[in-house]
Amino acid sequence: MEDLDYQSGKMSESLNKLNNQMVEVAGFIVPLEMDGYIDTVTEFLLVPNPLACIHIPPPPPNQMIYVTMKEEIPLDMDLRGVEIQGVIRVVKQEDEVFSFELSGISAKEGNIEFEDPYLNELFQ
């Protein structure tokens, strides 16, 4: 998804071909609402690694996808990442920044291999 210049909206030809198409994208859920305890989500950000939700500053807009699911999915599905199937679009936001939106149709648990740099430091 880094093939999108989020300031100009320019994108690679291969990414442009995916715009408004059915895709399957893997990533990690960052819930947008944290009022009390939640166990399901319909609206969230999908990010490339599990540490992206705690990093400040957050990943750039071309590394996040705003997802709205057709139906709720369990939040605990995200332990090894999720794979979301739906229609992806590149959109221009109010602040003139380009980003991704995904209308999610289905989700399944992923199996994303991820190296935790903090864990690696402990064992060096």
Side-chain angles (χ1 to χ4, degrees):
M1 297 297 184
E2 295 172 356
D3 292 346
L4 171 66
D5 180 328
Y6 61 88
Q7 294 173 322
S8 70
K10 292 181 182 176
M11 65 185 97
S12 68
E13 185 177 326
S14 59
L15 182 58
N16 192 38
K17 287 180 182 179
L18 293 176
N19 199 18
N20 292 307
Q21 298 296 313
M22 182 72 74
V23 296
E24 186 170 279
V25 183
F28 295 87
I29 294 173
V30 176
L32 294 175
E33 293 184 26
M34 293 302 294
D35 294 337
Y37 179 77
I38 58 170
D39 56 356
T40 61
V41 292
T42 56
E43 199 174 341
F44 53 90
L45 294 176
L46 196 65
V47 295
N49 66 64
L51 300 175
C53 63
I54 60 172
H55 279 228
I56 297 175
N62 62 349
Q63 292 183 25
M64 296 186 290
I65 302 172
Y66 172 68
V67 179
T68 53
M69 294 298 300
K70 182 178 177 182
E71 296 179 7
E72 292 181 336
I73 61 170
L75 188 56
D76 67 354
M77 170 182 278
D78 194 37
L79 297 175
R80 293 292 306 149
V82 294
E83 295 177 13
I84 308 290
Q85 186 177 37
V87 175
I88 195 160
R89 288 179 299 285
V90 174
V91 296
K92 187 175 185 178
Q93 304 295 332
E94 290 178 17
D95 58 2
E96 302 296 311
V97 170
F98 290 83
S99 62
F100 298 102
E101 289 185 2
L102 181 72
S103 298
I105 295 170
S106 66
K108 62 183 179 182
E109 289 184 25
N111 191 16
I112 301 172
E113 294 295 323
F114 178 78
E115 280 193 37
D116 185 335
Y118 301 112
L119 192 57
N120 289 342
E121 286 179 18
L122 291 173
F123 293 105
Q124 288 186 1

